[in-house]
Amino acid sequence: MHPISDFFGAPAPRAFSRLGLITMAGLSLSAALPAQEAPTGASASAATDGEVVELSPFMVESAGADSYTALNTNSVTRFRAELSRLPVSADVYTSKFIEDTASTSIEEMVVEYGTGTGIGGNNPEGAAEANRPGDRASNVNVKIRGLDAGQMRVNSFGAGGIDDTFTVERVDVVRGPQSLLNGGVGGGGVVNAVTKRARFNSKLSRVQVRVDEHGSLRGIVDYGVGNDRYAVRFSALAEDQSYSRIILGSKGVGFYGQAAIQLTRNTTLRGEASTKQSETINSTTGLTLNAPAVTINGVRLPADPRNGRRIRALYALGEADDILDGGITWENVDSFRGPYYGQDRENTRYEGSIEHKFGTWGVLELAAMHDLSSMDRAETNSFTNLAAPRRNNNPFDAWAVGWQPGNTHESFRRRGYRANLAAEFELLDGRARTQAVMGAQYETVYNRRRSQLYYLADAEGNIVVNQAQIGNNNVGRTPMPTQWFALDGGPMNYLPFPRGARSITASNGNNYVLDERVFVGVVDPTPTNPLGVRGTGSFWDQYNYIDSYFGAFATDWFDDRFTTLVGYRKSNVENKRYEVGDFKRSIGSFDSINFGLNFKLTDTLRPYYGFSNAYNPPDIVQFGPDGEVTRTSKSTGHELGIKFNPRSGLFSGSFSVYTVESEDEQVSIPTDLRTDINPAGINGANTPSQNWINLMRESKGAELIVTAKLRDNWDARLTVAYTDGTVGESKRYAIFYNDEFNTDGQGGVTYADGTPLLVTVDPSQQANPNAPRQQLTIAMMNDPASSYFAVLDPDSGRITNAAALQLNTFSPSGASVGTGRTGLPISAHQLAFTDPNGNGGFITVAQAGEPTSGYAQYSVNLSNQYTIKDGALRGLSLGGTLMYRASDRTYAYTQVFRNEAGIVVGSERRMFALDDSLRFNAVISYKRRLWDRIDWTTQVNISNLFDDYDVVVMPNVNTGDPQTARYTTEPRTFVWTNTFSF
């Protein structure tokens, strides 16, 4: 494994230019080879598009049945339009490209093979760490042009939970702020997936089986048939996916179907339904070492100097050899919770449309969508990470993990309705030919989240409720204590209790039953408790409503001398959020404009200019670390470029330069920063609190997108991108202190009702009711030699061992140790905590002028697929994709500088970027006919053919100290696919 700069012997921009010259030379050589004459005119349309449907201007027949080239789209204006004539740029992934790259996830395909794409959304540091199959990163979305793309669309409706390619036949990525058709989107662009179509007068039968080196198995059945009036399409999926890391994996089944009926010569009815269920076991990327100071049988053991550091970083730095007898490896470091940690998902989606053609002048489309998705996520409350023997309540003389099992259930219900009226007409005696669309769309989303824990139950399975403590956070119930599991040299490889089980028998022999943490409507509603809830935990009800009205006009002037696009959309947005003790609402009305001009310079070259703006409201009401409600972002983009589409059909594409400004863009800070700003102390975090903030950001760059049919048996695709985004404003937050506790005025700790908090003299005897006890004091918590020394988080001052100090307990009357007051200034810290990073109790989350993150500044993708048509090797195909990334901006962080005495002397904002990378994904396939009516294709895809990857240590976002580690990319893997077509 070598740095890419060693390979090129040049810094990134020079290496980028050299790779560009090599790539262009390869394309020039390909173009110089003999090519079969391509059809032109109407025959070209028929040859490339396959089925030509005259009825519907809304339905695009992809030119991708046997090509990487797509000549048209409806993802910009709703009507079918030629890409070469539109004043916008788009990246289209055809069915052939999806098959050749063996892509199973839409988002992963767009990020891996896209033009200047990356990963954005929640927690950029966490997303950067969770970069391998089996990792789980919340709220991740695609980044385009250095800005977030917003919610993915399916047939121009808001997408639900299905990201699998088994339901789609092409994916359009329209670049820039494009709210004209799709409503709220980010400034980078929008991803719109087009589902598989039931086609009239056609027949399709395929069975596909896929395996890989990890023992995964994936099977797909795809069937379609149609006559003059009826057509159906059906797909089914079953998969059992394993990964390179032990225990992690996923199982799923899915079904998709579409039916079409030609009701009359001018009326077509379509209906489709899809569903997918999956069960996953996810990784634990943030696992830390838990080894604080402790007294065992009167012997004082000091804290391990590695206490609180992440296991990944320790292993990467060679500091984990003594943990689990050296049993930690990259194959198991993220698997220590065994098969418990994961999620079960279910998504069902329905869509229907009816189209009617009014003579020769127009077509009316009515469409509706209903989407239901739910997720049960196996959660862990009070997770103790990897605990050293007898440390932090670990009862074993062995390394162990422990947690309170729980569950979070989240569901979405999406509905959408759309009406479009499309017309084609001529003006000025035929000198202006116009396609016009006018329409309205309404979408609503309801999002519900509830969290659950296991509570003590009697012999009949009824939860035991102490009515005297009905007002406490657990509503009078007793949660299951932490369940500990010893690790014998490696992760658990069994399930100690089923995920989501109704009841569990704990290690103490008692029975515990799963129940809601929050009850709704059990007390009278108040302005601070609008739903009348009691309890605590992850909980909300969210409602989102968008109604919009739009119109678009695309006009060819003077016999196609130039084309104009004018569009306008008016949208009204309302978001409402109810949660424990709070209600938030945001409303707004937004205008979106598209204007562009595409000029026919020659039959091949068409320069263009496009202007567009977009709005992107949060799907749900979201908050910053201090509870501020995030605002709707507004972006404005300018794009200047040239389209090329020669009559020969040899290649087509575009080159463009652009600028985009995004005001109030919704950006998520790393979770580590949010918890440093607003830690969940003994009084709980200051609520509401999330990772989301608003920032002004801008991006500029240049993009080249080319698809080519170099010969009838040679497909190629080239994308080159330069992306440069910057932050337009600085933002920092004061640290909250959430660990205030009650005292008796003499340094003794008490409950809120004045009862002293008693602890055993020997902490190892806490479970012994007869052990000598004493009152916990502030002096004990400040004394490093005390068994009850309070270990403070170096960034936030939170007491990290509060549970061991019994600061999370309740008195017999239900009173807690904490006062419930949160958000006090840092000077109020009762343990005299001072900010060790020299920032005066503030944490910087963004700084004006620094680069944005989540993408490579320079990127190149070159894909080729060549099929031998004659001779002994007839049916053999060779190809693959060359991918180059330079200046891969991952996330921003603050580097703190200290002198030899450990005193902070300064700090600096920096960007953590991955080393330059050059990878090659290879594909080899062979096709032949078996018997009379069966075609067999066997295909091997090898990702990262030359196994070029590194391990990098990633810095802490607040200090720059080593935080964690990751692979730069996945090591070499292969997938073997066999397809039988009938």
Side-chain angles (χ1 to χ4, degrees):
M1 296 179 287
H2 305 285
I4 199 69
S5 56
D6 293 346
F7 177 82
F8 282 105
R14 185 180 302 173
F16 181 86
S17 63
R18 291 183 183 180
L19 181 60
L21 291 174
I22 294 171
T23 302
M24 294 307 294
L27 281 180
S28 299
L29 176 61
S30 300
L33 292 174
Q36 295 189 0
E37 183 178 354
T40 59
S43 62
S45 177
T48 55
D49 283 29
E51 176 194 2
V52 177
V53 177
E54 297 295 337
L55 173 64
S56 172
F58 301 119
M59 182 173 172
V60 172
E61 290 302 325
S62 171
D66 61 353
S67 171
Y68 291 173
T69 300
L71 300 178
N72 50 36
T73 183
N74 65 356
S75 294
V76 179
T77 60
R78 280 302 299 158
F79 50 70
R80 186 171 59 250
E82 293 184 30
L83 278 171
S84 62
R85 297 186 181 187
L86 291 175
V88 297
S89 57
D91 217 353
V92 179
Y93 303 88
T94 65
S95 58
K96 177 172 173 53
F97 186 83
I98 294 172
E99 288 286 334
D100 286 349
T101 56
S103 296
T104 59
S105 163
I106 297 172
E107 289 189 348
E108 289 178 6
M109 177 183 66
V110 171
V111 171
E112 179 84 347
Y113 298 99
T115 310
T117 53
I119 287 292
N122 187 36
N123 189 2
E125 179 210 23
E129 181 184 19
N131 72 315
R132 303 185 65 187
D135 290 338
R136 189 177 85 189
S138 302
N139 300 325
V140 169
N141 54 36
V142 175
K143 191 178 288 290
I144 305 172
R145 292 182 170 178
L147 301 170
D148 284 340
Q151 181 189 119
M152 191 177 76
R153 318 292 289 188
V154 174
N155 300 332
S156 296
F157 279 121
I162 293 183
D163 178 51
D164 201 294
T165 57
F166 91 97
T167 66
V168 305
E169 64 182 21
R170 70 181 264 164
V171 177
D172 295 350
V173 181
V174 184
R175 314 183 76 74
Q178 301 290 341
S179 280
L180 174 61
L181 169 63
N182 297 289
V185 300
V190 61
V191 179
N192 182 46
V194 180
T195 54
K196 292 178 176 178
R197 316 301 280 183
R199 288 177 166 78
F200 299 106
N201 299 313
S202 66
K203 186 175 182 180
L204 167 71
S205 301
R206 294 201 320 159
V207 176
Q208 187 178 86
V209 179
R210 178 177 300 178
V211 297
D212 65 22
E213 62 191 272
H214 307 303
S216 303
L217 179 63
R218 175 183 171 96
I220 293 178
V221 175
D222 196 358
Y223 176 79
V225 64
N227 57 24
D228 291 340
R229 292 197 59 189
Y230 305 99
V232 295
R233 182 74 177 268
F234 172 79
S235 291
L237 162 75
E239 65 177 353
D240 187 346
Q241 179 71 51
S242 299
Y243 304 118
S244 59
R245 291 171 292 175
I246 64 172
I247 299 174
L248 310 183
S250 175
K251 295 181 180 180
V253 295
F255 302 93
Y256 168 82
Q258 185 184 96
I261 304 174
Q262 195 90 17
L263 296 177
T264 69
R265 186 169 180 270
N266 293 327
T267 306
T268 302
L269 176 67
R270 288 183 180 271
E272 67 178 55
S274 59
T275 184
K276 184 180 179 183
Q277 299 177 345
S278 63
E279 301 177 3
T280 65
I281 301 172
N282 295 118
S283 69
T284 311
T285 55
L287 190 74
T288 62
L289 178 69
N290 197 318
V294 66
T295 299
I296 300 177
N297 297 326
V299 178
R300 178 69 174 175
L301 298 179
D304 191 307
R306 302 167 297 181
N307 181 46
R309 292 179 59 189
R310 294 194 186 177
I311 302 297
R312 273 193 180 190
L314 295 176
Y315 181 65
L317 295 171
E319 300 178 24
D321 292 344
D322 60 325
I323 300 174
L324 288 168
D325 297 322
I328 294 178
T329 67
W330 280 117
E331 286 68 39
N332 67 24
V333 68
D334 301 319
S335 305
F336 281 98
R337 270 188 273 194
Y340 181 80
Y341 189 64
Q343 50 195 340
D344 301 336
R345 290 178 174 271
E346 181 174 354
N347 178 263
T348 302
R349 184 178 186 276
Y350 306 95
E351 183 177 332
S353 67
I354 185 168
E355 298 177 12
H356 180 74
K357 184 177 181 181
F358 296 97
T360 60
W361 64 270
V363 177
L364 174 68
E365 179 204 45
L366 302 176
M369 173 273 297
H370 184 62
D371 185 287
L372 299 170
S373 59
S374 64
M375 174 190 68
D376 282 287
R377 186 169 59 234
E379 294 287 319
T380 55
N381 191 51
S382 301
F383 179 55
T384 59
N385 292 293
L386 189 59
R390 299 289 180 178
R391 302 293 182 101
N392 201 20
N393 295 324
N394 170 13
F396 300 112
D397 288 317
W399 291 90
V401 294
W403 69 84
Q404 288 177 299
N407 187 67
T408 293
H409 176 81
E410 188 166 3
S411 62
F412 285 85
R413 183 181 67 233
R414 305 174 190 268
R415 291 176 180 168
Y417 309 93
R418 181 176 62 232
N420 296 305
L421 179 62
E424 298 187 44
F425 51 86
E426 294 184 353
L427 299 172
L428 304 177
D429 295 329
R431 287 190 287 269
R433 298 191 303 273
T434 298
Q435 288 182 315
V437 169
M438 300 184 66
Q441 187 160 325
Y442 175 78
E443 291 193 56
T444 179
V445 180
Y446 168 58
N447 173 217
R448 180 181 188 270
R449 173 179 283 194
R450 300 290 188 268
S451 57
Q452 302 166 321
L453 277 180
Y454 288 87
Y455 297 94
L456 180 66
D458 58 24
E460 286 73 36
N462 301 309
I463 294 177
V464 177
V465 179
N466 183 343
Q467 294 297 326
Q469 299 186 15
I470 195 71
N472 69 14
N473 287 339
N474 292 311
V475 197
R477 300 164 297 176
T478 302
M480 176 189 289
T482 299
Q483 300 298 290
W484 286 94
F485 304 94
L487 302 174
D488 185 16
M492 295 183 298
N493 57 9
Y494 62 95
L495 193 62
F497 31 70
R499 293 188 336 209
R502 165 65 180 161
S503 63
I504 292 175
T505 300
S507 56
N508 60 11
N510 293 330
N511 185 43
Y512 294 83
V513 172
L514 188 67
D515 197 19
E516 301 290 338
R517 299 182 66 180
V518 174
F519 296 103
V520 181
V522 296
V523 298
D524 293 334
T526 66
T528 58
N529 189 0
L531 292 180
V533 302
R534 175 174 286 161
T536 185
S538 182
F539 163 91
W540 64 58
D541 283 328
Q542 307 225 31
Y543 301 84
N544 173 258
Y545 310 93
I546 300 178
D547 62 273
S548 54
Y549 315 89
F550 58 90
F553 300 86
T555 304
D556 289 337
W557 297 87
F558 306 110
D559 197 23
D560 195 30
R561 175 53 55 186
F562 62 91
T563 301
T564 58
L565 172 64
V566 178
Y568 173 76
R569 186 183 189 104
K570 179 74 172 181
S571 301
N572 303 301
V573 179
E574 180 181 9
N575 287 330
K576 296 189 293 185
R577 172 170 173 146
Y578 300 85
E579 60 179 343
V580 178
D582 200 12
F583 165 67
K584 299 291 183 181
R585 179 172 182 247
S586 65
I587 59 175
S589 182
F590 307 98
D591 301 302
S592 303
I593 298 173
N594 275 65
F595 170 78
L597 173 67
N598 183 305
F599 178 73
K600 182 179 179 182
L601 183 63
T602 69
D603 289 341
T604 299
L605 302 176
R606 301 182 69 104
Y608 72 94
Y609 164 76
F611 167 85
S612 59
N613 63 1
Y615 68 97
N616 188 26
D619 290 339
I620 54 180
V621 178
Q622 296 165 331
F623 305 102
D626 60 353
E628 178 187 11
V629 177
T630 54
R631 300 178 294 278
T632 294
S633 66
K634 296 172 283 293
S635 53
T636 302
H638 300 267
E639 184 172 329
L640 181 66
I642 188 167
K643 302 286 185 77
F644 30 87
N645 187 22
R647 288 181 177 273
S648 67
L650 184 67
F651 63 91
S652 64
S654 65
F655 173 78
S656 62
V657 295
Y658 65 87
T659 63
V660 182
E661 293 184 356
S662 184
E663 178 184 352
D664 285 335
E665 186 174 25
Q666 298 135 25
V667 179
S668 181
I669 64 175
T671 297
D672 290 340
L673 280 185
R674 193 254 300 166
T675 54
D676 288 342
I677 295 167
N678 189 5
I682 62 174
N683 293 297
N686 192 40
T687 58
S689 179
Q690 289 181 307
N691 296 28
W692 296 93
I693 65 174
N694 287 110
L695 274 183
M696 178 183 295
R697 305 205 296 180
E698 62 181 23
S699 184
K700 61 183 179 181
E703 298 168 338
L704 174 68
I705 304 173
V706 182
T707 58
K709 191 75 172 175
L710 302 173
R711 303 179 67 174
D712 67 339
N713 59 337
W714 192 337
D715 291 286
R717 183 176 185 271
L718 170 66
T719 67
V720 182
Y722 165 75
T723 310
D724 186 21
T726 55
V727 175
E729 61 180 312
S730 299
K731 188 160 286 192
R732 68 174 189 165
Y733 291 87
I735 300 175
F736 289 90
Y737 168 52
N738 299 324
D739 268 342
E740 187 182 14
F741 40 81
N742 296 278
T743 63
D744 57 10
Q746 300 177 358
V749 179
T750 71
Y751 293 100
D753 59 5
T755 304
L757 172 61
L758 302 179
V759 295
T760 57
V761 176
D762 184 348
S764 63
Q765 297 297 310
Q766 289 286 359
N768 182 1
N770 300 317
R773 294 181 179 268
Q774 59 185 332
Q775 185 177 13
L776 182 68
T777 66
I778 292 178
M780 292 164 60
M781 290 190 286
N782 274 323
D783 183 4
S786 168
S787 299
Y788 289 94
F789 175 63
V791 180
L792 303 184
D793 184 282
D795 297 323
S796 67
R798 177 180 65 89
I799 302 173
T800 60
N801 59 337
L805 302 179
Q806 300 189 61
L807 294 175
N808 292 329
T809 60
F810 294 88
S811 73
S813 67
S816 63
V817 172
T819 64
R821 297 202 304 269
T822 62
L824 296 176
I826 197 170
S827 59
H829 201 298
Q830 291 163 292
L831 300 182
F833 172 78
T834 58
D835 183 3
N837 299 318
N839 296 316
F842 289 86
I843 291 179
T844 298
V845 299
Q847 186 167 295
E850 69 184 12
T852 53
S853 62
Y855 60 92
Q857 190 175 10
Y858 306 91
S859 65
V860 174
N861 288 303
L862 175 61
S863 300
N864 280 277
Q865 189 75 7
Y866 182 83
T867 302
I868 299 174
K869 304 281 284 190
D870 302 300
L873 298 179
R874 179 183 178 184
L876 179 67
S877 295
L878 303 172
T881 301
L882 181 72
M883 290 170 284
Y884 172 67
R885 304 288 185 269
S887 185
D888 197 337
R889 298 169 172 177
T890 307
Y891 62 89
Y893 67 98
T894 299
Q895 179 65 62
V896 174
F897 302 102
R898 295 180 173 86
N899 60 20
E900 295 181 356
I903 299 174
V904 174
V905 295
S907 62
E908 177 182 88
R909 289 287 288 176
R910 293 180 175 179
M911 175 62 63
F912 173 69
L914 301 178
D915 288 340
D916 302 352
S917 66
L918 180 65
R919 291 186 293 123
F920 182 67
N921 291 350
V923 55
I924 304 171
S925 68
Y926 177 69
K927 181 178 181 180
R928 65 170 298 173
R929 172 148 292 190
L930 303 178
W931 303 290
D932 291 335
R933 302 180 59 184
I934 300 177
D935 288 330
W936 168 57
T937 302
T938 184
Q939 177 176 306
V940 177
N941 291 81
I942 307 174
S943 299
N944 194 8
L945 178 65
F946 301 108
D947 204 27
D948 190 3
Y949 69 96
D950 276 306
V951 173
V952 295
V953 177
M954 301 162 60
N956 180 286
V957 291
N958 198 35
T959 65
D961 297 332
Q963 169 87 350
T964 186
R966 58 163 274 185
Y967 280 3
T968 53
T969 190
E970 194 70 2
R972 180 173 52 232
T973 58
F974 78 84
V975 172
W976 181 26
T977 306
N978 286 275
T979 304
F980 298 89
S981 301
F982 304 91

